[in-house]
Amino acid sequence: MATASFDTARRGNGALAAQAPAIEKTPDIRPEALEATGPTSLVGLTRETLKGRLAALGVPEREQRMRAGQLWHWINVRGAASFDEMTNVSKVLKGQLAGIHTLDRPEVVSEQVSRDGTRKWLIRMPPTGRHDHNRGAEIECVYIPANDRGTLCVSSQVGCTLTCSFCHTGTQRLVRNLSTQEIVSQLVVARDRLGDWPGQTPPKGAFVPVDGSRFVSNIVFMGMGEPLYNVDNVIDAVGVMSDNEGLGLSRRRITVSTSGVVPQFERLGLEANAMLAISLHAVRDDLRNELVPLNRKYPIRELLQACRDYPGVSNARRITFEYVMLKGVNDSDAEAKELVRLLKGIPAKINLIPFNPWPGSKYECSDWERIERFSEIVFNAGYASPVRTPRGRDILAACGQLKSETEKLRARARLMLEEGIGAEGVYAAAHDD
């Protein structure tokens, strides 16, 4: 589970708590409370964990690597949903496996399909203990298709550790971290739903890449949660997703977005070798302290130095800086010029994200002319500064909008949904090849 500490000192601590919102939330469920109940699925496990399951069945050590490899191929290359499909696995072993294990995926509670082809799934994980009251945790996962790629936005936590003031997900409680298996299973579910396994086809009318690539070709950790407060499981999940003999995604097509948990940068770069995205949103500490309270712990100067030191950063592996455009808050010419100054020397691209209000938010989106002017200043300074095209507006599937179904939509949110007023989808071009 996460190795970074939770800052609880600011919660309920007199004058200090009154001055500023908490930086972080404590989880409702601690890792030691998690326990398996009933048959367990083999989908989404690491190779080592899979070998451990075979060892527990009494498979001789000399056979474990081979047998694990067979299972790995069927689960992660062929997308097998039943042990009976595994034609090169012995009947005896299949019988042993079926006695205590399954190939079950998490439950898809609902699927919403946008007019532009974006899909949002509400996914319910299997119960992990008595605290779940026989109903597993729920998270949201979003698929954003384009002609030349299909990007899957995955969640790393149930809820979110952080309290970013412009983010809807940040307003809900933090329940717990997702396990490696639960993170990887989101990709497996997406491939199931899209027909993205050998010999399968996409649903009728589905918008998927047409260039011959996999329907899910890119992964962004931009769903619910702060990935670097669950760094152990995120690193392991990247390893499973990028295994060349399994799910087979390129690490250059996997991006981990963080609000700036600086102590975990080096480890993420060295062990996951994933692309890095920074949820920046301000060029001054005083403003970023409000928008991203984690900045009080790791201020801009420290954050940007960690970016300069990120393992493997280069012009070929640029860091993406995400900047949500908030009217009258962070969108002036002066702030665009300061952004350019701050990023000097960092191989970077800047994603400008038009903000769409969510129920209860106090911010407004910058005017389009202001966004274009901001982008022009950044672009003329030599940085790519794309403005994200609206995706999934009508199903509330955009950055900062995800919130599990257990957090019921208020009347205003339902009205927004019915009227097709959603948020701007920003995941699909989080990084270029």
Side-chain angles (χ1 to χ4, degrees):
M1 286 294 180
T3 57
S5 63
F6 293 98
D7 179 2
T8 58
R10 295 182 182 271
R11 296 178 62 85
N13 193 20
L16 184 60
Q19 291 173 8
I23 295 175
E24 300 146 340
K25 311 182 195 87
T26 54
D28 287 357
I29 300 169
R30 289 293 183 180
E32 56 267 24
L34 300 178
E35 57 186 43
T37 57
T40 57
S41 178
L42 300 181
V43 174
L45 298 180
T46 65
R47 281 185 181 269
E48 286 305 309
T49 304
L50 190 56
K51 284 175 61 177
R53 300 293 172 87
L54 292 173
L57 284 174
V59 174
E61 185 175 356
R62 66 182 181 276
E63 295 182 23
Q64 289 172 17
R65 182 175 180 179
M66 179 190 70
R67 298 301 182 194
Q70 290 174 329
L71 296 176
W72 184 265
H73 176 85
W74 282 104
I75 294 170
N76 295 318
V77 176
R78 304 300 295 271
S82 166
F83 293 117
D84 291 337
E85 298 177 43
M86 301 180 177
T87 55
N88 62 344
V89 177
S90 72
K91 290 183 179 180
V92 173
L93 180 56
K94 286 191 287 189
Q96 290 177 305
L97 289 168
I100 57 175
H101 293 299
T102 72
L103 297 179
D104 291 347
R105 283 75 158 133
E107 176 189 0
V108 177
V109 178
S110 67
E111 178 181 55
Q112 293 175 274
V113 183
S114 168
R115 289 186 292 267
D116 62 28
T118 298
R119 291 172 182 259
K120 181 172 73 172
W121 297 293
L122 176 65
I123 298 175
R124 181 179 298 149
M125 301 299 174
T128 53
R130 288 191 297 269
H131 51 270
D132 277 345
H133 303 293
N134 296 318
R135 175 173 169 155
E138 294 175 345
I139 57 95
E140 289 185 332
C141 179
V142 176
Y143 175 69
I144 308 97
N147 288 328
D148 62 346
R149 73 182 65 198
T151 301
L152 187 70
C153 177
V154 300
S155 295
S156 57
Q157 295 182 311
V158 185
C160 186
T161 301
L162 300 181
T163 58
C164 300
S165 62
F166 60 89
C167 179
H168 199 195
T169 313
T171 65
Q172 73 178 95
R173 73 188 197 276
L174 169 65
V175 178
R176 63 173 175 85
N177 287 330
L178 291 174
S179 68
T180 298
Q181 183 175 27
E182 290 170 325
I183 295 171
V184 175
S185 291
Q186 294 172 64
L187 172 55
V188 174
V189 166
R191 286 193 165 163
D192 285 347
R193 304 291 290 196
L194 296 169
D196 195 22
W197 300 110
Q200 296 186 10
T201 57
K204 185 177 180 180
F207 181 23
V208 294
V210 295
D211 64 348
S213 63
R214 294 298 294 261
F215 299 154
V216 179
S217 60
N218 295 52
I219 299 287
V220 289
F221 283 80
M222 295 184 187
M224 296 168 60
E226 164 54 60
L228 296 192
Y229 275 99
N230 189 13
V231 66
D232 294 337
N233 291 324
V234 166
I235 288 172
D236 285 346
V238 171
V240 175
M241 292 173 172
S242 63
D243 189 294
N244 289 331
E245 297 177 354
L247 293 168
L249 287 165
S250 166
R251 290 179 189 255
R252 291 190 62 180
R253 289 175 175 259
I254 300 176
T255 297
V256 177
S257 176
T258 176
S259 292
V261 187
V262 168
Q264 302 300 335
F265 279 26
E266 181 177 16
R267 197 175 155 212
L268 178 72
L270 292 175
E271 297 183 34
N273 194 25
M275 304 295 282
L276 180 66
I278 304 297
S279 189
L280 187 62
H281 312 306
V283 295
R284 310 187 316 271
D285 280 325
D286 61 334
L287 177 58
R288 195 164 191 268
N289 288 346
E290 175 189 338
L291 298 177
V292 186
L294 183 66
N295 193 73
R296 302 204 303 270
K297 203 170 188 181
Y298 310 113
I300 292 174
R301 182 176 180 179
E302 186 177 343
L303 170 61
L304 295 184
Q305 186 58 52
C307 291
R308 291 184 175 91
D309 297 336
Y310 187 67
V313 65
S314 67
N315 285 329
R317 295 178 63 86
R318 293 174 293 170
I319 294 174
T320 297
F321 289 87
E322 299 152 356
Y323 198 95
V324 64
M325 301 299 294
L326 303 171
K327 186 175 183 177
V329 175
N330 65 351
D331 60 354
S332 68
D333 285 5
E335 282 160 312
K337 294 172 183 176
E338 178 63 8
L339 177 61
V340 169
R341 189 192 70 80
L342 285 174
L343 299 185
K344 185 177 181 179
I346 302 176
K349 62 176 287 189
I350 297 97
N351 277 349
L352 301 181
I353 306 169
F355 175 77
N356 260 339
W358 41 265
S361 69
K362 61 182 180 180
Y363 301 106
E364 297 178 48
C365 182
S366 304
D367 296 333
W368 189 252
E369 293 77 11
R370 177 97 299 271
I371 296 174
E372 287 187 324
R373 172 59 182 160
F374 196 102
S375 176
E376 181 182 17
I377 292 172
V378 175
F379 179 79
N380 288 341
Y383 291 96
S385 55
V387 180
R388 292 301 124 231
T389 303
R391 299 296 303 272
R393 295 173 61 100
D394 49 327
I395 59 172
L396 296 177
C399 182
Q401 297 284 328
L402 300 188
K403 200 164 186 181
S404 65
E405 190 65 17
T406 53
E407 303 275 330
K408 296 298 183 182
L409 288 173
R410 297 174 185 172
R412 182 181 170 193
R414 290 196 298 271
L415 180 62
M416 289 172 67
L417 182 60
E418 291 166 2
E419 294 181 352
I421 304 173
E424 308 291 346
V426 302
Y427 316 110
H431 59 289
D432 291 325
D433 298 341

